[in-house]
Amino acid sequence: METTTEIRDGGGEGDESGRYYPFQSIEKKWQQRWAEQGVYRTTEGGDRPKYYVLTMFPYPSGSGLHVGHLRNYVPGDAVARLMHMRGFNTLHPMGWDAFGQPAEQDAIKRNVNPSQVVPVLAKEYKRQLSILGVSYDWDREINSTDPDYYRWNQWAFLLLHKRGLAYRKFAPVNWCVNENTVLANEEVNDGKCWRCDGPVVKKDLPQWLFKITDYGDKLLEGLDRIDWPEGIKTQQREWIGRSEGCEFDIAIEGDKGAVRVFTTRVDTVFGMAFVVLSPEHAVVDAITSDEQRAEVTAYRERAARMSEIDRTAEGRERTGVFTGAYAVNPVNKHRVPVYVADYVLAGYGTGAIMAVPAHDERDFDFARRYDLPTPVVIARDEQEALDPPRGETLEAAFTSKDGFTVNSGDFSNLPCKVAANRIAEWMESEGVGVRKVNFRLRDWLVSRQRYWGTPIPIVHCEKCGIVPVPEDQLPVVLPDVENYKPGPDGRSPLAAIPEFVNTTCPTCGGPAQRETDTMAGSVDSSWYFLRFASPRETSAPWDRAAADYWMPVDLYLGGREHAVGHLLYARFFTKVFHDAGLIDADEPARTLRNQGMLLGYTAVDADSSDKHPILPGDLVDFDLDAWTRRFEQEGPFPAERVARPQGEPERREPVRVEFQWLKMSKSKGNSVTPDAMAQKYGADALRLYVLFAAPFEDTIQWSEDAMNGPFRFLNRVWDVVT
RNA sequence: GCCGAAGUGGUGGAAUGGUAGACACGCGCGCCUCAAAAGCGUGUGGGGCAACCCGUGCGGGUUCGAGUCCCGCCUUCGGCACCA
């Protein structure tokens, strides 16, 4: 593996040997000419059919671009040029997704205001992309932190509010302990923060949410009409998680009202052995008996303190406590105990279930642990239905939906599906319950208690309550501040700025306070593809004719990691705009493709539990070529690292080094800049390499050796031509 | 556990059901050179002197013909995971 960065072309013409074609001067000349002539400038209309190629707009990070980023931009550019040459009127725009926490964290780390950093970084990205000859229509450049852009975020917020799709509630939210902020469900992985891997706990705060759950069916249905990778569509389907079932009331003994439960297996209702409420369920207090109160309270407190990670930990014992209350099964009037257990989730369905241990694995575990009965109501087949097994002898729950009902009164000896229908009908006619479709999808939490985002255009008035800022008063401008770091109390830094907070109510003119939450960055990216149609429009978020001309995006390129975040939100926004009659398209992108990752060979600490990368700069006498060869021969080997403990002089300490292929990033010390490669081999060789090394969707292991092929090819082309 | 994608030379990877391994990297040989680098030419799946035989993760099947289609496994990568 070559690591030198000698320059192969010092400018071309001056090179006596003439062995390499003068790529630097050629590339510079044409890039200049293209820019001068504005060949990429795009206008709407004309006879040619339109084609809209979009690569996901990046957050310009302080680390700059590395060759991994080219996996996306270079193929996007190649397609744009191809379609242009094929006679399509091609739109290929670029912009900066510069609001949000990555930008803010970056700024905090460098101790500067994000508003000062963003323009510098955007300029640097633009420079790097230009070196590579990527053909954007820079006249359409947008920046999400520009008031001319984010005022339309506020407009969109108000539109959703008007349509009943934006609401505020006091809600348990995912709270990242490290970063002192809330996270969307999509930002929590394994109970840990997506960015810092810190623990996430539940915390109650007033929050703004978008009612994406109203669009569950539309979001599902639209998937059948778009050419997106199966994996992405599947992930979205599962994330939306539609399930059909029944909701019904179970009376609590002693005139204590009723608990509503949701089930997808109403055919098993005769097998209900107990009822379980989630620890957060509102009626727990009211129904708990005096004898059980202490135990129930203790259990609920423990559950509240537990982080998501502990609560969902694999192989965890299913625990719960008896409330002392009894419920009455509406179909057979059996009396069953009511429990509180944390395996029932507050946020799904009604937060309460009928437990049918003979036919549900979780209920079965719970029943065995607490010695509860497991009455059998489903038999494997008609044969078994004649002599069904007894509950006590069961070794596991029988969960198939293809069985036959038994011990189910008038509904016995029916195939499960038939029984489910008849029982549902019976419940509806008796007024006990209704058929219900439930979604796993939760509403989209857009509040952020952060500085670097779009201010939510709402005013809180003592008299009038929640008042939307009138559209003609937009934008609500994000003020310049001294201190933009998040406070430990969970409130936005904006709350500490009286000039921002104190205002008058747009309705009654009385004193009022501005909302201090800002919007999640994912709001900005949920409609930017529409803004590109008419980026300088000042009277509306987009010019209707231009947007209808370009939309939908014909080819959208970006990473798989956006499967259920950005890509779902963008679809939601598009559908809302469509329903509001503001745009013809009801899907943002006809075709979506996900680029593969680019991996770099990375030195890691062989003895650390997570095989932590070590920056080459910290390794004494690091030599990538020699070291990787050595590793391949003998495996992990000893070396020395420079340690810089805080407040102490730096020192050398021994480490064992091994190498792993990890996603390229500056922080892992395995990244290669396009600048260096373009200087050494030329932008065209680099572009050819990126296109040629592997199919677009495959992972590539970066190796500079492979740059030789495209480079030689271009030299031969040059020889033939000259 | 469930879902998705993928397994082809030393390597990256090509192949509408029709000559498997295009193209490229690497490597071998040759030319050029005092020599090297670069370049050019040529060879390169395995076995065999050869004719030929064997080869696309494994085991079956469909077909005149299978890397490709079907059934059953194995492995790798990615995602989801108490959703009642």
Side-chain angles (χ1 to χ4, degrees):
Chain A
M1 214 177 278
E2 208 168 351
T3 55
T4 52
T5 47
E6 107 235 35
I7 295 168
R8 295 201 161 177
D9 172 332
E13 286 90 342
D15 190 289
E16 274 177 61
S17 66
R19 286 189 298 238
Y20 304 114
Y21 83 107
F23 53 79
Q24 294 200 328
S25 47
I26 294 176
E27 286 167 5
K28 203 168 166 194
K29 171 182 157 191
W30 284 100
Q31 282 165 18
Q32 262 171 16
R33 183 170 302 183
W34 289 332
E36 279 160 17
Q37 300 185 343
V39 291
Y40 307 124
R41 205 166 296 138
T42 316
T43 51
E44 291 76 37
D47 299 334
R48 298 179 302 160
K50 70 96 181 178
Y51 195 82
Y52 185 178
V53 197
L54 186 62
T55 46
M56 290 181 185
F57 73 155
Y59 139 66
S61 106
S63 310
L65 291 175
H66 58 66
V67 289
H69 294 110
L70 307 186
R71 289 299 318 268
N72 197 17
Y73 304 128
V74 166
D77 184 48
V79 171
R81 286 169 186 267
L82 174 69
M83 296 314 280
H84 178 76
M85 287 187 274
R86 277 187 178 170
F88 286 83
N89 188 25
T90 305
L91 177 58
H92 186 216
M94 180 46 72
W96 316 112
D97 187 17
F99 261 149
Q101 286 177 51
E104 191 176 283
Q105 296 289 53
D106 215 59
I108 288 174
K109 214 162 60 189
R110 297 132 155 275
N111 208 22
V112 282
N113 194 296
S115 62
Q116 281 154 11
V117 184
V118 165
V120 177
L121 297 180
K123 205 173 153 199
E124 172 63 6
Y125 264 51
K126 194 171 171 179
R127 182 191 67 77
Q128 287 187 297
L129 288 167
S130 299
I131 286 176
L132 295 163
V134 181
S135 62
Y136 297 118
D137 178 359
W138 288 113
D139 287 352
R140 292 179 189 250
E141 179 180 357
I142 60 174
N143 182 333
S144 63
T145 66
D146 187 336
D148 288 339
Y149 183 87
Y150 70 70
R151 69 172 292 184
W152 303 113
N153 283 344
Q154 295 172 340
W155 167 89
F157 185 100
L158 296 175
L159 176 76
L160 266 72
H161 190 255
K162 221 180 310 176
R163 297 179 72 79
L165 294 168
Y167 66 98
R168 189 173 190 248
K169 77 167 183 188
F170 209 67
V173 295
N174 304 304
W175 179 261
C176 171
V177 171
N178 283 359
E179 299 186 5
N180 281 325
T181 190
V182 296
L183 300 170
N185 289 325
E186 289 79 356
E187 294 170 346
V188 181
N189 300 321
D190 284 338
K192 289 184 288 188
C193 173
W194 66 320
R195 262 184 317 274
C196 71
D197 264 356
V200 174
V201 298
K202 291 287 178 195
K203 187 164 177 167
D204 269 326
L205 285 173
Q207 302 289 334
W208 283 96
L209 295 99
F210 287 161
K211 219 169 177 185
I212 192 171
T213 48
D214 271 11
Y215 276 72
D217 275 320
K218 281 182 176 173
L219 288 167
L220 269 181
E221 177 272 327
L223 289 173
D224 298 331
R225 292 182 283 115
I226 50 182
D227 172 22
W228 287 21
E230 255 342 285
I232 299 280
K233 291 209 240 181
T234 307
Q235 275 187 64
Q236 291 210 353
R237 284 191 190 103
E238 287 177 356
W239 189 262
I240 295 165
R242 183 180 198 277
S243 56
E244 291 179 16
C246 240
E247 230 178 62
F248 62 95
D249 290 323
I250 304 176
I252 303 295
E253 222 178 45
D255 275 341
K256 287 184 176 163
V259 170
R260 177 150 275 231
V261 298
F262 173 72
T263 180
T264 56
R265 291 298 305 277
V266 74
D267 51 311
T268 66
V269 66
F270 284 84
M272 185 193 313
F274 50 103
V275 167
V276 187
L277 310 181
S278 64
E280 295 85 357
H281 199 286
V283 309
V284 175
D285 259 338
I287 67 168
T288 299
S289 70
D290 292 340
E291 305 88 77
Q292 293 300 113
R293 189 163 302 278
E295 208 182 332
V296 168
T297 306
Y299 185 83
R300 295 178 81 192
E301 278 173 1
R302 216 177 318 135
R305 270 202 314 273
M306 228 184 289
S307 70
E308 200 78 348
I309 209 175
D310 297 328
R311 208 161 143 170
T312 60
E314 202 163 340
R316 196 171 155 259
E317 284 285 328
R318 233 175 272 300
T319 62
V321 289
F322 179 45
T323 59
Y326 287 87
V328 181
N329 186 341
V331 293
N332 57 12
K333 307 300 175 199
H334 285 183
R335 180 174 183 262
V336 296
V338 180
Y339 279 75
V340 168
D342 67 5
Y343 79 91
V344 172
L345 309 174
Y348 184 75
T350 61
I353 61 156
M354 66 166 194
V356 184
H359 306 292
D360 180 281
E361 283 174 26
R362 297 150 300 180
D363 299 343
F364 185 83
D365 290 348
F366 193 85
R368 282 288 182 264
R369 183 181 165 108
Y370 293 102
D371 237 353
L372 293 156
T374 56
V376 170
V377 292
I378 305 292
R380 228 162 272 277
D381 46 41
E382 278 171 302
Q383 188 60 38
E384 198 189 69
L386 298 173
D387 181 22
R390 295 179 43 221
E392 308 87 85
T393 66
L394 282 184
E395 285 181 16
F398 176 69
T399 58
S400 166
K401 292 175 185 169
D402 292 323
F404 285 80
T405 51
V406 294
N407 304 323
S408 297
D410 294 345
F411 303 99
S412 294
N413 288 307
L414 296 168
C416 285
K417 278 165 198 151
V418 175
N421 261 320
R422 295 215 186 143
I423 294 171
E425 275 167 29
W426 178 85
M427 283 185 171
E428 286 183 333
S429 67
E430 296 292 310
V432 173
V434 290
R435 280 172 227 255
K436 174 90 196 262
V437 173
N438 249 320
F439 292 94
R440 226 163 135 159
L441 183 68
R442 309 292 162 82
D443 278 337
W444 171 15
L445 198 152
V446 296
S447 274
R448 292 293 180 277
Q449 289 69 45
R450 283 277 176 165
Y451 170 64
W452 195 233
T454 306
I456 290 176
I458 290 288
V459 165
H460 299 280
C461 170
E462 278 160 40
K463 264 191 260 166
C464 313
I466 288 174
V467 182
V469 174
E471 267 180 47
D472 58 14
Q473 290 175 28
L474 298 184
V476 177
V477 177
L478 184 68
D480 279 328
V481 293
E482 288 285 311
N483 177 27
Y484 55 85
K485 292 175 191 172
D489 57 350
R491 292 176 76 206
S492 160
L494 294 180
I497 307 171
E499 310 88 81
F500 176 80
V501 174
N502 295 320
T503 184
T504 51
C505 171
T507 306
C508 70
Q513 278 84 46
R514 284 195 191 281
E515 171 66 54
T516 57
D517 284 357
T518 55
M519 295 183 214
S522 38
V523 175
D524 313 15
S525 54
S526 292
W527 67 281
Y528 75 109
F529 39 89
L530 286 159
R531 186 67 180 168
F532 279 132
S534 49
R536 305 292 167 252
E537 177 64 50
T538 53
S539 62
W542 55 81
D543 173 78
R544 178 72 193 259
D548 282 340
Y549 175 78
W550 289 114
M551 288 296 290
V553 172
D554 292 284
L555 180 63
Y556 194 25
L557 303 177
R560 285 177 182 82
E561 67 274 22
H562 296 104
V564 292
H566 160 63
L567 288 170
L568 199 59
Y569 300 145
R571 295 185 58 225
F572 168 58
F573 260 43
T574 305
K575 287 176 186 300
V576 172
F577 296 145
H578 174 84
D579 289 351
L582 298 168
I583 179 90
D584 285 349
D586 74 341
E587 283 288 341
R590 202 191 301 282
T591 301
L592 171 77
R593 292 292 179 266
N594 305 119
Q595 78 272 18
M597 279 189 290
L598 196 132
L599 308 180
Y601 214 39
T602 315
V604 302
D605 182 346
D607 298 314
S608 60
S609 59
D610 57 347
K611 306 265 177 177
H612 201 74
I614 313 174
L615 294 180
D618 291 347
L619 286 163
V620 179
D621 297 328
F622 181 76
D623 177 335
L624 185 59
D625 271 350
W627 287 35
T628 53
R629 230 177 294 128
R630 182 168 176 196
F631 172 68
E632 246 115 68
Q633 277 161 18
E634 54 184 276
F637 59 89
E640 273 193 314
R641 149 166 62 192
V642 181
R644 300 184 184 80
Q646 242 187 344
E648 288 174 51
E650 62 175 53
R651 57 162 190 263
R652 292 182 173 195
E653 59 184 31
V655 277
R656 282 200 319 135
V657 173
E658 68 175 74
F659 284 84
Q660 285 188 349
W661 287 103
L662 298 175
K663 187 175 181 184
M664 193 176 274
S665 79
K666 196 175 181 187
S667 63
K668 296 194 195 101
N670 61 0
S671 69
V672 176
T673 67
D675 308 54
M677 290 301 107
Q679 190 169 60
K680 193 165 163 188
Y681 301 95
D684 282 319
L686 179 55
R687 290 162 58 105
L688 274 179
Y689 167 78
V690 169
L691 291 167
F692 188 72
F696 178 69
E697 309 202 277
D698 286 9
T699 297
I700 296 182
Q701 298 178 340
W702 168 260
S703 158
E704 197 183 322
D705 288 346
M707 286 288 300
N708 278 329
F711 184 67
R712 283 205 284 249
F713 169 76
L714 289 174
N715 271 297
R716 286 195 292 267
V717 170
W718 179 254
D719 284 346
V720 168
V721 174
T722 56

